[in-house]
Amino acid sequence: MRTLVLVLLVALSWFAVATLSQQTNYVIFMDAGSTGTRVYLYTYLSTNNAPVVSQGINAVTQQSLNSRVQPGLATLYNNVSAIAAYLQPLINFANQNIPASQQAS
């Protein structure tokens, strides 16, 4: 069980980068915890120095860009085929908050 959860955590701790401009990029991070799975959107500026990372903020509501589904991913260890449907609300959230022109095709 722990190995399955660890493998899923590694698989789900992915990020996707989409270019907003020549310097601003998005990063999507999924955190599969024991009580729920969360998605966080971050932005960073590409520079010649170390990137400057900040949590994404909705321009209209000024709220941080994150969302959560419950219960934890570990509850699906006997139903692996349900993982895609479980994660879909988080994927939809990311799609709604990153401009389509900035998403990978």
Side-chain angles (χ1 to χ4, degrees):
M1 164 80 173
R2 279 189 139 185
T3 302
L4 173 64
V5 172
L6 179 60
V7 168
L8 288 173
L9 286 174
V10 170
L12 294 173
S13 294
W14 58 278
F15 68 89
V17 176
T19 303
L20 179 61
S21 68
Q22 289 187 348
Q23 293 187 348
T24 302
N25 302 285
Y26 282 102
V27 175
I28 302 168
F29 178 77
M30 284 192 176
D31 174 12
S34 61
T35 61
T37 300
R38 296 148 199 88
V39 63
Y40 299 93
L41 303 184
Y42 292 88
T43 59
Y44 72 93
L45 296 176
S46 297
T47 65
N48 291 336
N49 301 318
V52 177
V53 178
S54 61
Q55 187 163 10
I57 302 294
N58 182 299
V60 175
T61 65
Q62 297 302 304
Q63 299 288 324
S64 61
L65 293 176
N66 62 72
S67 185
R68 177 181 181 184
V69 293
Q70 292 179 300
L73 185 62
T75 61
L76 298 176
Y77 75 94
N78 283 329
N79 190 7
V80 175
S81 62
I83 292 174
Y86 170 83
L87 293 174
Q88 194 61 52
L90 300 176
I91 294 167
N92 291 345
F93 175 83
N95 284 334
Q96 292 167 357
N97 288 283
I98 296 175
S101 63
Q102 305 306 320
Q103 297 177 24
S105 54

